Amino acid sequence: APQAPAPAPYSPPPVHAAPTIAAPMPPMPVQGGPVPPPAPAPAPYGQQPPQQPQFGQVPGQAPAPYGQPAPYGQPTAPQGQGPGLQVALQKYREAPTGQRWTAQNKYLMRADLSADATPVLARQGSMVMYQGKVDFGYKGAGFAGRIVGNATGQEMQLMRCTGNGQVFFAENSAHLHPIELQGDGICVSAENVLAFDETLQHEVRRIEGHGIPGGALFTMLFQGTGTVIVKTHGVPVVLPVTPTTFADSNAVVAWSSASQVIVSSQVRLRRNSYPGHSGETVNLQFRGAPGNFVVVQPYEV
């Protein structure tokens, strides 16, 4: 029989012909510290690894397709506004509606004409913003009213606000105070009135006094059912009326209509008329039954 051929000599495959695969080395644990968890296994070919949920998305909820609104209950921010801007402006949001008069802050007052069909009379130029369908018209005082206003200094240039919406009033960052009247009355200088309901009756009242220019002082009397918005320079103080209550006529803002007001005997017509003069012009003394009040501001007109 023929002899079998001799086997070929063994030759090892070339080392540099095959690609080299190096696995990442796990971090060395610190002596005495926790052992880090093993790295997650790579996703199979053709599948994407799980992604973290976006801001405002519930974990496990699929994001909405491009061009479609977010699902119900998922918060969304307006275009161009991030969550930081929403948080920064949250404290300046409009106060809830539903009431006739609402103070947005101590300098801004809102009248809701939708809550009541009664028009609002406001000082001309006091409107800073309005929402809805609101009409603004000039409210004249008539010939007799202009004569009285010019003679007494209690003239008010008013506008009439009607319609269905909300009107915001302000003037020179003055402090605004809504005073609701329920059949009673209040005396306020025309300079300190910003707005009021048209249902209120207002007229000029005379304060008798001797030794003052013209023989009297004048103020506006508001009576009826409604709200009048009084503006002050700074935070006012409300004092009960007692036999010893006096106030400077340039600093007093309002008082209850049932109070009796007389001019104090210590009246000086001119400021600094002679050396040692106190500088006060006219002092008013208030008298009345318990329950009457006077409002004084930390500012002299």
Side-chain angles (χ1 to χ4, degrees), residues 61-146:
Q61 180 182 11
Y66 179 79
Q68 296 185 7
Y72 177 77
Q74 179 177 350
T76 57
Q79 185 177 2
Q81 298 184 8
L85 184 60
Q86 295 287 332
V87 175
L89 300 179
Q90 183 64 32
K91 58 182 179 180
Y92 302 111
R93 295 292 183 183
E94 181 183 2
T97 59
Q99 297 182 358
R100 171 69 169 177
W101 295 91
T102 305
Q104 301 299 300
N105 50 58
K106 56 186 178 180
Y107 309 112
L108 189 63
M109 186 69 59
R110 184 194 65 211
D112 192 355
L113 302 179
S114 305
D116 192 350
T118 304
V120 170
L121 300 180
R123 184 182 297 272
Q124 293 184 10
S126 61
M127 186 275 295
V128 296
M129 185 182 67
Y130 72 92
Q131 298 173 333
K133 187 177 180 181
V134 182
D135 297 329
F136 299 92
Y138 173 74
K139 175 64 175 178
F143 179 76
R146 291 195 301 268

Side-chain angles (χ1 to χ4, degrees), residues 6 20 43 49 52 54 83 89 97 104 112 143 148 152 155 158 163 172 191 197-198 201 203 221 230 239 252:
T20 304
Q52 295 292 334
Q54 300 179 0
L89 300 179
T97 59
Q104 301 299 300
D112 192 355
F143 179 76
V148 174
T152 61
E155 183 180 9
L158 300 176
N172 298 331
E191 181 65 24
D197 292 326
E198 195 178 31
Q201 301 175 0
E203 61 181 2
L221 172 62
V230 178
L239 299 176
V252 65

